[in-house]
Amino acid sequence: RSSTKKAKRYSKTSWTIIETDAMKPLCFQAKRFRWKTHSKTLPDVLDQDIDQEVAETVVVFVHAEASDAAQERASAVLRQSLKHVKWLANKRACKNIVLHSFTHLGGDTAESGFAQTLITVLADRLRETGYQVWITPFGYFCEWDLSVHGESLAKVWKEIH
């Protein structure tokens, strides 16, 4: 097994070990999530002008790391991500999921082709189990309006190993 890079971050209360080679979804149980395309981040994507909104949804900001694309790791990343999203959605009996590519949660970002495929396959697998799934336009910056429920569980960040 390859070694995992680790970084130490210090807070006033303790040291935290953060795995830099782990997929990092940031999830919200949202009352409402609206997104609108703003500008392209990838030159080859189709032009899109999208303004959508979903109520009572789990919003998943997905950051795939380069190591997630390794053949021995990709299926585990998909399986654990699927399990985590379904777990969080089921805590509120939520059947709506929005997936958004968000490459700002880590340092060694996966290639765009892998990240897009991962998000698409994750969406397909969620749909197969009864969820309605939206994917924000890949390769775009979007503006957002996000209204999140108040309890702690409504805001979850996880490292997928």
Side-chain angles (χ1 to χ4, degrees):
R1 184 170 178 196
S2 63
S3 65
T4 302
K5 298 178 202 170
K6 294 183 181 182
K8 289 185 179 180
R9 291 197 181 159
Y10 177 73
S11 73
K12 290 181 180 178
T13 56
S14 66
W15 281 93
T16 303
I17 302 295
I18 297 175
E19 304 270 346
T20 59
D21 284 348
M23 180 180 174
K24 297 166 183 77
L26 175 61
C27 304
F28 301 96
Q29 292 175 333
K31 299 173 189 178
R32 182 179 69 83
F33 182 60
R34 178 189 159 266
W35 65 95
K36 182 179 183 340
T37 51
H38 177 71
S39 61
K40 287 183 181 185
T41 60
L42 298 173
D44 297 336
V45 297
L46 297 174
D47 290 336
Q48 298 182 59
D49 184 19
I50 295 177
D51 189 345
Q52 282 190 287
E53 181 175 320
V54 178
E56 294 305 323
T57 186
V58 170
V59 179
V60 183
F61 287 11
V62 178
H63 174 90
E65 290 281 330
S67 64
D68 296 332
Q71 186 175 16
E72 66 276 2
R73 192 161 148 63
S75 63
V77 167
L78 176 63
R79 184 179 61 254
Q80 291 177 44
S81 299
L82 183 65
K83 183 179 174 180
H84 177 68
V85 171
K86 289 167 68 174
W87 170 81
L88 188 59
N90 290 337
K91 291 294 183 183
R92 191 174 279 281
C94 185
K95 288 296 186 179
N96 296 329
I97 311 284
V98 178
L99 302 175
H100 176 70
S101 175
F102 194 72
T103 60
H104 311 290
L105 296 173
D108 192 14
T109 303
E111 290 187 21
S112 61
F114 172 77
Q116 186 173 21
T117 299
L118 177 68
I119 289 170
T120 301
V121 171
L122 182 59
D124 291 343
R125 295 282 302 274
L126 287 164
R127 287 181 185 117
E128 289 170 5
T129 56
Y131 294 91
Q132 287 189 284
V133 183
W134 291 260
I135 301 173
T136 64
F138 191 86
Y140 272 83
F141 285 127
C142 293
E143 66 178 66
W144 314 310
D145 290 321
L146 176 61
S147 177
V148 177
H149 289 281
E151 57 270 37
S152 176
L153 189 58
K155 310 138 199 90
V156 178
W157 178 76
K158 180 163 179 72
E159 291 180 343
I160 304 288
H161 302 283

